[in-house]
Amino acid sequence: AWEAKLREAVSLDQGYFEARNNLGAFLARTNRPVEAVEHLRAALSIDPNATAVLNNLSAALLALKDHKQAEQAARQALRIE
């Protein structure tokens, strides 16, 4: 139900930042990191300084074993904070 509501929110408004981030985080937690990265990058295109999104992106990238990009996202979040 939670995923369906988030997907509906994103489909109604592609620029809905919170829905994108929450959907990306949910997908990462449910072992769908490829799809998670897609939504998290979309959220970052709306707000490139969102540390929560950068942290979620870093975790999703780690799940994909993309250590270099995961580290870059984590370092960017630390610079912003």
Side-chain angles (χ1 to χ4, degrees):
W2 177 245
E3 180 181 354
K5 290 191 182 297
L6 289 170
R7 287 186 183 282
E8 180 181 0
V10 168
S11 73
L12 291 171
D13 181 358
Q14 295 292 309
Y16 189 174
F17 170 80
E18 291 84 0
R20 286 275 189 186
N21 180 49
N22 290 338
L23 181 56
F26 176 83
L27 292 166
R29 283 193 311 273
T30 56
N31 297 316
R32 293 180 277 174
V34 171
E35 197 176 356
V37 167
E38 174 187 330
H39 287 284
L40 294 167
R41 288 202 168 138
L44 277 179
S45 73
I46 299 164
D47 182 358
N49 294 316
T51 56
V53 178
L54 287 163
N55 289 327
N56 289 334
L57 178 61
S58 180
L61 290 166
L62 278 175
L64 292 172
K65 301 196 183 324
D66 188 340
H67 299 112
K68 183 177 179 182
Q69 286 192 38
E71 179 184 4
Q72 289 173 348
R75 287 186 184 277
Q76 185 176 348
L78 286 171
R79 279 193 298 274
I80 293 167
E81 288 182 350

